[in-house]
């Protein structure tokens, strides 16, 4: 009998599994709680108003539309019953499976400081990026308005926690936004004076790269006016201030780039998890002790030939997805052993700013303009969907020439009035959703 | 002494006033509750996933950045004190003026049926468009999921109230979205079977156009599969059904295109308003009985030489803004009379669908492919900002060739966690903002 294969997660890993099975005309159901696949590596550009959300998000249905054997299910998996082999969605729908592929990725992890999560957005979803973009632009608007110099300098201080690729990319991009894009647009403040603090607990940035590249990134960021604070641990994060090494720093906004944990669904498999909440998988990506469940991408702990865990990178997820999809497509009987996955490192990049990137692949180490161009070409090429490639490349060309940014939209932070067209949610999200004095907040206020 | 000129509203009218004064190096403050100028005529394309929000929104600061004498103030005017000549913003900031230009536009008007507003979004802001886009796409997702055929046909029924240009454009665009863009992407439903009902109280669509163009629009919409219900009055609008002529129709979503009223700020001028809430202005755009206040665009009632009120069109607003801005720039003494405004009709267009538009200018009446191309060229040209012109034209070319739509994003309807960086809103928008069973709603649910 043909096993019912269910893939949870439409990220880089899950999508590749579905494509490979769809290509082989094998029936598969892919479930995601968003309707779109997100090109995560460029999410920081949406957060900093360089790209608009749809540029890096593609409907999963559209991507898989050409594979008739693939069912796309837009839903949120609430429960995994590994005994009955049934997934229960948040709205009660049940989805039985014979083989489960868990590819639900990761999410920001605040070292169990849940109060931090409320005030310090991470960067994992489109909503995260829009929240960051709105708050970032809003803080400049408030700075322009205030007459109190102390409050003004707070409103022009942005802190970023974590000096990995995401932290470095956010810091560099915000620096360019303030130094160039916004420079001419204000009258009472000088956006180029924005204080950007990059807080890293370790003794160098980009710990995953060679020391000389870390050093290059630090120097470039500092030349962009970023305060790089190494060996600095954040002790507290509040709405308008952070505490670093005992020192309290008033800030407009704090962004979280210090760590992620595997999706909480992993905990429902009833197997042991590592400190990052990841599921240990064997060389064939099968979950230890669960012959009917596979895990891949950020949610999986895969040890390479040296016993080192593979990093949570798009290329790892993509390769694991391709590998598993093809292996399952080839396998004729569910008992059969699957080939071992071997990761081929295509090299890592981090963008520091315009003309400034680092690239490392084995012994090959690049930095500066060349690494930046290589990165831009590769990423434009990798973007899902031709239309996006065209648009994104034009936007980049345009921004390259002008420093302009096209997506400087401040969204209204509010619950939408009225019920979505779902029997599951009859009552409207109440207008009281807004803070009582929300009307005092431009961008939230409605004359309606 | 130089009068302090304050413009409220960064739409087509207000923006032109600020540009003209800025060009003449005259000091002016422009206030808007959004940070962006919105290219309203294309908003329906954001609502139907054809364009992304930033494509048609440009930061007001960016547009006016090159005029050093122009101050852009991002805020929400709560009160106009016409005696003291002071504006009070929602956060308490006061802005004194010598001359006030009110250009706050209009908003959907539900004939005082406030319960309708909650369930039946209009199309005035980016947030409106995103709400419509999300609910529209969400309804197809729910239809794909349900096994109940009755519920499924409800979820595939969209009602649009109002057969003016907005209603016609929404109906045509939703028809093409369902007939072409989504056709291949679902497995359990056939999106091309979507029922689109356009409800118009009058005896023809596009009442502002010549009867033959109205007839053309009706025939084209019907050929796209739209049910055009003329002489039909909507009696009730609820979350999942509407009542038209005594008949109850179950629907997934109802959109409001039946009427707008002037911005409520008009009421604060203490002068009489017409039925649409508009302020009567003289030939020089001065508010009757208020020599220090001007009103223009949708918020103003301007009677042409035949005593007919000018329609609420972008070109009227734009021309009035240019006229007033230049007149104020030329005037040397505030006592001086201002020249009379004369509207030059550049013609009206409405888009029915691909290759199908109507255009009317005086005796000239065009329909079909030619009118459509003319419209496309004109609108791409008119779009504020070069980058947008490039992108939008590429998107249109691409969609023209493929029927693809790039902006099929379902946003999560939720209050953002955490406080925006404003002293005015210390407390976070509570997570409880979501409906209790929000987790049952894909697109809202978060595994977090």
């Amino acid at each position: 009998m043909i096993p019912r294969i269910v893939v949870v997660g439409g990220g880089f890993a899950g999508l590749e599994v579905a494509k490979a099975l769809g290509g082989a005309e094998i029936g598969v159901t892919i479930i995601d709680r968003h309707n779109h696949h997100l090109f995560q590596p460029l999410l920081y550009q949406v957060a900093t108003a360089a790209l608009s959300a749809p540029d890096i998000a593609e409907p999963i249905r559209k991507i898989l539309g050409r594979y008739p054997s693939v069912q796309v299910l837009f839903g949120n998996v609430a429960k995994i019953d590994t005994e009955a082999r049934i997934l229960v969605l948040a709205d009660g729908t049940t989805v039985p499976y014979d083989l489960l592929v868990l590819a639900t990725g990761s999410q920001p992890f605040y070292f169990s400081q849940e109060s931090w999560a409320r005030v310090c957005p991470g960067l994992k979803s489109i909503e995260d990026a829009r929240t960051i973009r709105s708050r970032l632009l809003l803080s400049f608007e408030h700075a322009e308005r205030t007459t109190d110099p102390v409050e003004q300098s707070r409103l022009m201080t942005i802190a970023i926690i974590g000096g990995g690729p995401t932290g470095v990319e956010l810091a560099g991009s915000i620096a360019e936004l303030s130094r160039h894009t916004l420079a001419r647009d204000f009258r009472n403040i000088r956006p180029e004076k924005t204080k950007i603090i990059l807080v890293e607990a370790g003794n160098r940035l980009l710990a995953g790269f060679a020391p000389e590249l870390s050093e290059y990134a630090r120097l470039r960021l500092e030349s962009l006016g970023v305060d790089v604070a190494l060996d600095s641990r954040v002790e507290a994060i509040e709405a308008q201030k952070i505490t670093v090494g005992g020192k309290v720093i008033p800030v407009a906004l704090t962004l979280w780039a210090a760590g992620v944990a595997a999706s909480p669904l992993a905990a429902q498999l009833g197997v042991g998890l590592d400190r990052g909440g990841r599921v240990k998988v064997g060389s064939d990506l099968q979950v230890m002790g669960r012959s009917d469940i596979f895990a891949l991408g950020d949610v999986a702990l895969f040890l390479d030939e040296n016993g080192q865990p593979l990093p949570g990178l798009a290329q790892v997820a993509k390769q694991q997805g391709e590998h598993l999809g093809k292996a399952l497509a080839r396998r004729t009987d569910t008992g059969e052993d699957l080939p071992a996955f071997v990761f081929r490192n295509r090299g890592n990049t981090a963008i520091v700013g315009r003309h400034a990137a680092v690239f490392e692949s084995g012994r090959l180490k690049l930095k500066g303009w060349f690494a930046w161009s290589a990165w831009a070409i590769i990423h434009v090429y990798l973007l899902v969907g031709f239309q996006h490639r065209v648009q994104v490349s034009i936007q980049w060309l345009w921004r390259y020439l002008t420093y302009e940014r096209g997506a400087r939209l401040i969204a209204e932070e509010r619950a939408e009035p009225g019920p979505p067209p779902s029997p599951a949610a009859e009552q409207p999200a109440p207008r009281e959703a807004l803070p009582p004095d929300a009307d005092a907040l431009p961008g939230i206020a409605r004359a309606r």
Side-chain angles (χ1 to χ4, degrees), chain A residues 11 48 66 135 144 153 187 197 278 298 330 361 398 436:
Chain A
T48 54
R66 79 180 95 110
R135 298 206 189 152
E144 172 85 352
S153 70
R187 301 285 173 260
I197 307 167
R278 292 178 295 185
D298 286 9
R330 262 195 312 269
S361 176
W398 181 243

Side-chain angles (χ1 to χ4, degrees), chain A residues 16-347:
Chain A
E16 291 302 325
V17 175
K19 278 185 191 168
L21 292 169
E25 287 165 14
I26 293 173
V28 56
T29 301
I30 181 166
I31 308 176
D32 197 283
R33 61 192 161 98
H34 293 107
N35 78 318
H36 53 271
H37 166 76
L38 183 59
F39 193 81
Q40 290 251 7
L42 290 178
L43 197 53
Y44 79 97
Q45 298 213 0
V46 174
T48 54
L51 293 176
S52 65
D55 292 335
I56 63 163
E58 190 85 337
I60 294 170
R61 289 193 184 288
K62 180 181 159 189
I63 300 170
L64 299 173
R66 79 180 95 110
Y67 305 112
S69 71
V70 179
Q71 286 258 6
V72 178
L73 219 154
F74 178 45
N76 192 45
V77 175
K79 191 166 170 305
I80 303 175
D81 182 337
T82 54
E83 293 318 307
R85 293 183 171 176
I86 285 175
L87 302 176
V88 183
L89 306 191
D91 68 354
T93 314
T94 58
V95 183
Y97 66 84
D98 297 308
L99 288 180
L100 176 64
V101 178
L102 191 68
T104 46
S106 57
Q107 58 187 50
F109 178 61
Y110 295 87
F111 310 133
S112 320
Q113 300 281 349
E114 277 326 308
S115 71
W116 295 9
R118 284 211 350 271
V119 294
C120 180
L123 188 61
K124 271 292 174 183
S125 71
I126 287 288
E127 291 73 29
D128 294 336
R130 283 196 178 131
T131 304
I132 292 171
R133 181 176 71 190
S134 293
R135 298 206 189 152
L136 200 54
L137 297 171
L138 216 41
S139 62
F140 287 105
E141 295 295 338
H142 289 300
E144 172 85 352
R145 288 269 295 280
T146 183
T147 50
D148 169 357
V150 176
E151 177 64 1
Q152 194 167 63
S153 70
R154 176 187 75 80
L155 286 166
M156 293 177 66
T157 305
I158 314 289
I160 298 149
I161 312 299
T166 304
V168 166
E169 284 167 345
L170 279 170
S173 193
I174 292 170
E176 292 186 336
L177 175 72
S178 56
R179 269 49 172 176
H180 300 289
T181 312
L182 301 180
R184 279 183 309 104
D185 293 0
F186 291 82
R187 301 285 173 260
N188 309 329
I189 59 167
R190 306 210 23 220
E192 60 270 38
K193 298 250 170 278
T194 305
K195 199 167 160 77
I196 300 155
I197 307 167
L198 181 57
V199 180
E200 166 57 40
N203 61 6
R204 61 184 182 104
L205 300 173
L206 304 175
F209 290 78
E212 67 256 46
L213 297 182
S214 302
E215 186 58 8
Y216 168 81
R218 184 181 64 78
L219 293 172
R220 283 306 300 241
L221 283 179
E222 286 175 350
S223 74
L224 282 169
V226 176
D227 296 357
V228 179
L230 299 174
D231 300 306
S232 305
R233 207 168 278 285
V234 66
E235 284 130 16
I237 302 176
E238 289 155 86
Q240 301 187 4
K241 59 176 190 286
I242 60 171
T243 311
V244 178
K247 190 159 155 290
V248 174
I249 307 166
V251 297
L253 178 61
T254 308
L255 307 180
W256 187 260
V260 297
S263 135
L265 275 181
Q268 296 202 23
L269 300 185
V271 298
L273 305 175
D274 79 338
R275 272 176 46 257
R278 292 178 295 185
V279 194
K280 190 152 190 333
V281 295
S283 61
D284 58 358
L285 300 168
Q286 208 164 69
V287 173
M288 297 300 192
R290 297 251 175 238
S291 62
D292 55 349
I293 305 180
F294 300 85
L296 53 174
D298 286 9
V299 80
L301 172 66
F302 183 98
L303 301 177
D304 65 16
E305 58 279 22
N306 317 321
Q308 291 306 309
L310 291 181
L313 295 172
Q315 57 173 327
V316 173
K318 219 168 171 4
Q319 289 180 34
Q320 289 180 333
E322 285 175 80
H323 174 85
L324 182 64
K326 288 190 187 132
L328 290 176
R330 262 195 312 269
R331 178 162 79 170
T332 51
D333 139 41
T334 44
E336 226 169 281
D337 281 355
L338 292 163
F341 169 72
V342 180
F343 174 56
R344 279 171 193 68
N345 191 337
R346 304 259 153 80

